[in-house]
């Protein structure tokens, strides 16, 4: 993504497929701490976190969409609504920005098209009075200029530094993980190397007081391998006094260091603002309140939902738009049941039995036919 000043036509950023952060260098906005999407998604903790957040948000239902109820449920003609919103949120999480081009007819949006970050150049007026988007499509459309009203640009945590144009670009949570990812990648390579060496230990044959030619070394190595492989593998090793055999040991400090890298999942969870116990439920504290964890996670989703809803409401002119996250985070209905139970406890219940039944039926937690059958049996 890049920002271009249309008055003097000087490029103020470089085009990259992923920019978690920006800095002003020589009149250009250049990426800092660059991590591309392919590399990020090969990290198991980041993959799990992005998959979790994007899947849960894509599962939510839009409310108060007005004339755009159907559009929000099915934004594209080419991909189903769930996959469209999941992909949009993934782009937002990876890059801090998500671009959705509005295709309109007679002033009414007909469908939305997700635009890759690398295809977008933001054109900004010198006095910040207007902004437009130059899209470099990789098809017969070529380059298209979209007005601000034609582009839904969702941004995560723009820093507000207008002088550096950071007001118009978002920041990915991955920015804070640049060093951690580098350490984890190196640790993974070290672990694979250590495992390989542990499975196939490198043996060293020492021949004291001898200057061996290359041919002699090869002959000794080949004889040793022949004597201790195949049908002889695992048998007692016998060497004479002219040579000694040893193996390269794994440094204990390396093992200690690898064990110290268990924090990686917690770091990723902290960067994305999600409780690590929700991501790693098997390792959650047994004394943790699962209801509190679920509530904390639901509130964590709002930091990604609110920028999306605010931009959609602004560009599509639907100010009352909301996203219902309760159904996404309360899959088994336990939160709804707990809420009804709590509100109906005591001497002054909030709901009547019939009202509580209606809520449970509407949520699909109980079946109307079962209730009717029980009533008939009671009568």
């Amino acid at each position: 993504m890049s920002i271009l000043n249309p008055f003097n036509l000087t490029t103020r950023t470089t085009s990259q497929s992923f920019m978690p952060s920006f800095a002003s260098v020589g009149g250009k906005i250049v990426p800092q701490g660059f991590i591309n999407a392919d590399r990020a998604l090969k990290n198991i903790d980041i993959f799990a976190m992005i998959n979790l957040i994007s899947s849960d948000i894509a599962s939510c239902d839009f409310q108060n969409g007005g004339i755009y109820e159907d559009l929000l449920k099915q934004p594209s003609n080419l991909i189903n609504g769930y996959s469209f919103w999941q992909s949009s949120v993934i782009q937002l999480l990876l890059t801090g920005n998500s671009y959705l081009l509005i295709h309109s007819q007679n002033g009414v949006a007909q469908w939305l098209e997700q635009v890759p970050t690398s295809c977008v150049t933001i054109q900004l007026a010198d006095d910040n009075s207007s902004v437009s988007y130059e899209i470099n499509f990789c098809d017969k459309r070529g380059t298209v200029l979209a007005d601000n009203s034609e582009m839904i640009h969702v941004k995560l945590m723009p820093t507000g530094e207008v002088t550096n144009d950071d007001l118009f670009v978002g920041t990915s949570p991955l920015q804070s993980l640049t060093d951690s990812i580098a350490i984890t990648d190196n640790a993974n390579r070290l672990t694979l190397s250590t495992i390989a060496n542990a499975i196939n230990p490198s043996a060293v044959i020492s021949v004291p007081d001898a200057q061996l030619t290359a041919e002699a070394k090869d002959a000794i190595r080949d004889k040793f391998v022949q004597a201790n492989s195949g049908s002889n593998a695992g048998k007692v090793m016998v060497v004479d006094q002219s040579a000694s055999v040893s193996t390269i040991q794994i440094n204990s400090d390396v093992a200690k260091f690898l064990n110290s890298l268990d924090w990686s999942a917690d770091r990723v969870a902290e960067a994305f603002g999600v409780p690590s116990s929700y991501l790693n439920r098997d390792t959650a504290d047994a004394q943790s309140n699962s209801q509190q964890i679920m509530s904390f996670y639901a509130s964590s989703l709002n930091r990604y939902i609110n920028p999306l809803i605010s931009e959609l409401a602004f560009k599509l002119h639907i100010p009352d738009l909301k996203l219902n996250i309760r159904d996404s985070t309360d899959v088994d209905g336990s939160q709804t049941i707990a809420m009804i139970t709590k509100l109906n406890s005591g001497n002054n219940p909030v709901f009547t039995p019939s009202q509580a039944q209606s809520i449970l039926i509407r949520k699909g937690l109980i079946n109307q036919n079962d209730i009717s059958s029980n009533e008939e049996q009671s009568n």
Side-chain angles (χ1 to χ4, degrees):
M1 179 179 60
S2 60
I3 296 179
L4 184 71
N5 186 316
F7 293 96
N8 55 26
L9 298 180
T10 57
T11 301
R12 291 154 69 177
T13 64
T14 57
S15 179
Q16 297 286 355
S17 60
F18 176 51
M19 292 184 179
S21 63
F22 303 84
S24 180
V25 179
K28 295 183 177 181
I29 303 299
V30 296
Q32 299 291 306
F34 181 87
I35 307 171
N36 63 44
D38 289 339
R39 178 185 173 193
L41 291 179
K42 286 180 181 178
N43 181 293
I44 185 171
D45 298 314
I46 293 177
F47 179 92
M49 181 60 67
I50 290 179
N51 184 40
L52 174 70
I53 295 175
S54 63
S55 299
D56 285 345
I57 293 179
S59 300
C60 299
D61 292 327
F62 289 97
Q63 296 178 338
N64 305 327
I67 63 172
Y68 293 123
E69 287 281 358
D70 294 337
L71 173 69
L72 294 172
K73 291 180 181 179
Q74 184 58 53
S76 173
N77 301 324
L78 304 176
I79 186 173
N80 65 71
Y82 174 88
S83 298
F84 179 90
W85 291 118
Q86 184 182 35
S87 178
S88 301
V89 174
I90 289 174
Q91 185 186 46
L92 181 66
L93 296 172
L94 288 175
T95 71
N97 301 271
S98 184
Y99 298 95
L100 306 176
L101 181 63
I102 303 173
H103 292 267
S104 301
Q105 184 176 359
N106 298 325
V108 180
Q110 301 298 312
W111 62 288
L112 305 178
E113 179 181 6
Q114 184 179 2
V115 182
T117 306
S118 58
C119 296
V120 178
T121 298
I122 301 178
Q123 296 188 352
L124 177 65
D126 276 342
D127 58 356
N128 293 330
S129 61
S130 65
V131 60
S132 57
Y133 298 85
E134 181 182 292
I135 307 171
N136 298 309
F137 289 108
C138 298
D139 53 33
K140 63 181 181 180
R141 288 177 291 181
T143 301
V144 175
L145 186 64
D147 184 74
N148 185 37
S149 62
E150 299 174 310
M151 178 69 78
I152 295 173
H153 179 192
V154 188
K155 300 175 283 292
L156 280 184
M157 205 177 72
T159 63
E161 295 293 331
V162 180
T163 54
N164 289 340
D165 303 312
D166 291 347
L167 179 65
F168 301 97
V169 291
T171 305
S172 169
L174 294 183
Q175 175 184 346
S176 63
L177 295 172
T178 303
D179 294 337
S180 299
I181 292 175
I183 293 174
T184 303
D185 287 346
N186 289 329
N188 289 340
R189 285 192 291 268
L190 183 59
T191 302
L192 292 174
S193 176
T194 301
I195 293 174
N197 288 332
I199 295 175
N200 299 298
S202 298
V204 178
I205 302 176
S206 300
V207 182
D209 303 325
Q211 298 292 329
L212 301 177
T213 64
E215 291 77 8
K217 292 178 181 179
D218 290 339
I220 294 174
R221 182 190 303 109
D222 293 341
K223 289 293 184 181
F224 179 83
V225 172
Q226 181 180 359
N228 296 280
S229 61
S231 60
N232 294 325
K235 292 183 178 179
V236 177
M237 184 184 301
V238 179
V239 295
D240 56 28
Q241 294 182 349
S242 64
S244 62
V245 179
S246 61
T247 58
I248 298 177
Q249 301 296 321
I250 300 174
N251 193 325
S252 60
D253 292 336
V254 173
K256 292 179 181 178
F257 174 73
L258 294 176
N259 289 332
S260 71
L261 292 175
D262 293 337
W263 47 255
S264 60
D266 292 335
R267 287 282 183 90
V268 172
E270 184 178 1
F272 284 88
V274 172
S276 58
S277 54
Y278 190 83
L279 182 62
N280 302 315
R281 300 186 184 185
D282 293 338
T283 59
D285 184 357
Q287 297 179 351
S288 297
N289 187 317
S290 59
Q291 188 69 28
Q292 291 180 346
I293 294 174
M294 186 75 72
S295 178
F296 181 29
Y297 172 69
S299 64
S300 299
L301 288 181
N302 282 328
R303 71 191 63 194
Y304 306 109
I305 291 175
N306 289 341
L308 174 64
I309 293 299
S310 180
E311 181 70 4
L312 286 170
F314 174 52
K315 296 296 175 65
L316 297 179
H317 307 290
I318 39 179
D320 297 326
L321 182 65
K322 296 183 181 302
L323 198 65
N324 180 15
I325 67 172
R326 185 175 293 109
D327 292 341
S328 177
T329 57
D330 186 23
V331 178
D332 60 354
S334 58
Q335 294 184 55
T336 301
I337 296 173
M339 177 196 69
I340 295 176
T341 302
K342 182 178 181 179
L343 293 176
N344 273 23
S345 62
N347 297 325
N348 298 309
V350 176
F351 302 112
T352 64
S354 60
Q355 289 174 333
Q357 287 181 359
S358 297
I359 295 174
L360 295 175
I361 292 173
R362 188 168 64 251
K363 294 293 184 181
L365 301 178
I366 59 177
N367 192 292
Q368 177 64 59
N369 294 332
D370 294 335
I371 296 176
S372 301
S373 177
N374 291 334
E375 291 175 350
E376 291 176 358
Q377 292 178 2
S378 299
N379 294 332

